[in-house]
Amino acid sequence: ASSAPCGRRILATMAQTAEDRAFQQARLRVEELRSLINYHDYRYYVLNSPEISDAEYDELMRELRRLEEQYPQLITPDSPTQRVSGQPVEAFGIVEHRVPMLSLANAFNADELRAWERRVRNLVGEREITYVVEPKIDGLAVALVYENGRFATGATRGDGIRGENITQNLRTIRSIPLVITRPTPPRFEVRGEVYMSKKGFERLNEERASRGEPLFANPRNAAAGSVRQLDPRVTAERPLDIWLYQLGWVEGAPMPVQSHWEALQWMRDLGFRVNPHISRASDIEEVLERCAEWERRREELDYDIDGVVIKIDSLALQLELGAVGREPRWAIAYKFPPTQGITRLLKIGVNVGRTGSLNPYAILEPVRIGGATVQMATLHNEDDIHRKDIREGDWVIVQRAGEVIPQVVGPVVSRRTGEERVWHMPDRCPACGAAVVREPGEAMYYCPNDACPAQARRLLEHFVQRGAMDIEGIGEKLAYALFDAGLVKDPADLYYLTKEQLVALERMGDKSAENVLRNIEASKNRPLANLIFALGIRHVGSEVAALLARHFRSIDALANATEDEIAQIEGIGPVIARSVASWFRNERNRAMLEKLRRAGVAMEEREEAPREGPLSGLQFVVTGRLETFTRNEVEDFLRAQGASVGSSVSKKTDYVVVGEEPGSKAEKARRLGTPMLDERAFLRFLRERGITVPEKGS
């Protein structure tokens, strides 16, 4: 009997020992996490050179929060969870924030966002709540103080209490008003996000690469590094902009607004740059719809957003809810899946394209980015690899934006061990062993062997794709199976296939074979531009193919044209002209064209009678690069509305639609006094005539 209490004591001691052991393990992990987070804060906020992705950082912070919630006795005032990340740099001078610049809590899915809304409801009861939904700009948070209508002080967020005085640098950003001409309170503060556009970021990195300087990993780091320069002249040279998103405080006058939405309108009226995509929502389900919309549309913007910020509109409710730690209860950030990740580049491989180009690609340790596992990424060309100093064995930043093929942004140089290997393009084609060539002035290396099997496979895959001959039912697998079976040696052989040959292939039944043959037959009448594009001529994309088809009207006329005649077409330079003329001089290519002709493939541009429509009788010329649609899409749309579309400006031209980098057509239009419409004016022109403008891709 006496053994029972003894056993209980032993069990209790064992339980206590296990609890102590778990606590000690948690304490060590908490210390490790704090050290890691502080280190990465320093690299991100001070050096502007991160070593891990945002998603990896968020996971470290979430684990730390989880452990501190489980063991509250481990929470310390200097824990990263108890302060806003970022430390001010003394070299700039320090600004004390009158009202702390708080950091936002994050929600990573709909359930977490609904849980935040329930916590708010528990505090405010059944009172009506309106939300303001804002794209979360991925930049550097700043506070701007105005005194008597003049910009007086600008500071970074820093640690939320004290920030860096970067007034002189912020003065160089032209979208920040230095003087407010309308009546304002004697002193007030507005807050916003300094950012760099995607185009500006690409241009800046190109300039840095040309000077042999290290590249920025992303626009956010580029913006932060630009704003925090000790020499304002450096900042002035960087393409920076700002969105203002909050009224911080007002002194010397009553608060001019009662809600966050009103504050944004008031700021806009004063001349501050407020994001036009901010909207209001009446409930959390509507908020979630906006979050899903911006996750879908984020690539439409010329600046990076990494989520959506949701704020309770009423300033009175904001004041009542207050903050917990360094996070306001009245706002939260809904974070999108990351578009960037950091992983190891195991090896650089090379594949051979349809024109013989040797295309390097990265073979990666698998990494989750944007909800997908990425194992390979593009590397463009050898010059780009050396410009970015990417080496085999490097830890690299990989980006996956929208549906674009993942690309390697650059290396994480600070994580190098010295074992990384500088890579060079092989001197022989990996598919056929031919000595590769690189023409003067070109970035790409090429396999010159016309009989290279890799080129033939890629050309066949290209020939059948949409926009080319559009042969439905022949995808990459079937194209390769036809090639490997010896049934097709070049694309023209497709038109001589028989049902018996197809059904002999693996997983090809009678009905599938009949469908393939029917689609091959239908492709014989594709427009001439499709055929020219399908031929896979180097430098000839769909737009150049359309220009060639429109000018020469037949394959024979194009085949017999000289380089000079081809180069005379606006939009086609000497490099393209030389490539086209060279392609048609090749006997192998001429033989393929003859096989296509014998099979009955259309070789001439079809003449179409002008359509009747709201633009009948008007002649347009389209020039330059358009943002919303390609030039071909605009020209086809105009023809569908009854207009005629010319290739050059003349006295008969009624309107010239002008995009970016328009060239000589715009100059001739000015000389003739022909009305010119930029893209926005052109779309307005159509709507004023009751013409529905199609969405891109429709």
Side-chain angles (χ1 to χ4, degrees), residues 369-603:
I369 305 175
T373 299
V374 174
Q375 292 179 274
M376 290 191 292
T378 184
L379 285 167
H380 299 302
N381 55 60
E382 185 183 40
D383 287 349
D384 192 56
I385 292 170
H386 292 162
R387 179 174 66 88
K388 295 177 178 177
D389 190 23
I390 297 169
R391 307 176 187 181
E392 289 182 318
D394 263 334
W395 287 90
V396 292
I397 300 166
V398 182
Q399 180 166 290
R400 180 177 179 266
E403 298 304 315
V404 178
I405 298 170
Q407 60 176 309
V408 175
V409 176
V412 182
V413 177
S414 61
R415 295 179 72 168
R416 280 186 174 156
T417 64
E419 297 180 2
E420 295 76 18
R421 303 170 300 282
V422 175
W423 180 85
H424 294 285
M425 183 68 72
D427 57 5
R428 295 201 168 269
C429 173
C432 69
V436 304
V437 297
R438 182 179 184 181
E439 296 179 11
E442 291 214 8
M444 303 300 293
Y445 288 81
Y446 289 91
C447 168
N449 179 14
D450 291 340
C452 176
Q455 292 183 51
R457 285 190 180 92
R458 291 289 184 183
L459 177 59
L460 184 60
E461 182 185 347
H462 168 78
F463 187 87
V464 301
Q465 74 176 16
R466 183 169 297 178
M469 298 307 278
D470 192 13
I471 304 178
E472 192 174 341
I474 302 183
E476 180 182 342
K477 289 183 178 179
L478 180 55
Y480 281 19
L482 291 168
F483 187 90
D484 292 340
L487 298 176
V488 172
K489 292 184 173 63
D490 64 44
D493 290 336
L494 290 170
Y495 296 92
Y496 298 89
L497 289 170
T498 65
K499 180 179 176 181
E500 291 72 25
Q501 289 173 322
L502 289 175
V503 295
L505 296 174
E506 189 177 354
R507 297 182 181 177
M508 177 67 70
D510 284 1
K511 189 170 183 180
S512 296
E514 289 170 2
N515 287 336
V516 168
L517 291 173
R518 190 181 305 114
N519 294 333
I520 291 173
E521 184 67 25
S523 75
K524 292 179 180 180
N525 295 311
R526 298 281 181 252
L528 179 61
N530 290 53
L531 174 60
I532 295 172
F533 175 54
L535 296 176
I537 304 170
R538 189 184 301 178
H539 305 309
V540 176
S542 57
E543 290 199 30
V544 170
L547 290 174
L548 293 170
R550 213 170 290 139
H551 184 87
F552 290 104
R553 314 292 299 173
S554 76
I555 279 289
D556 290 337
L558 175 58
N560 294 322
T562 66
E563 284 185 29
D564 288 342
E565 288 171 334
I566 297 170
Q568 291 301 312
I569 303 171
E570 184 170 355
I572 295 180
V575 173
I576 296 175
R578 185 162 55 251
S579 177
V580 173
S582 174
W583 192 93
F584 283 99
R585 285 196 297 266
N586 184 291
E587 288 301 322
R588 183 187 294 270
N589 295 335
R590 283 185 172 274
M592 184 178 72
L593 283 176
E594 284 309 308
K595 282 199 292 184
L596 289 169
R597 192 192 307 275
R598 289 197 306 273
V601 174
M603 296 280 178

Side-chain angles (χ1 to χ4, degrees), residues 658-686:
V658 182
E660 294 183 21
E661 303 173 10
S664 61
K665 291 181 185 177
E667 185 58 38
K668 188 172 183 180
R670 290 189 192 94
R671 289 201 307 271
L672 295 175
T674 307
M676 291 192 290
L677 304 170
D678 63 18
E679 192 163 356
R680 183 175 296 179
F682 171 62
L683 295 174
R684 187 167 60 247
F685 171 91
L686 296 175

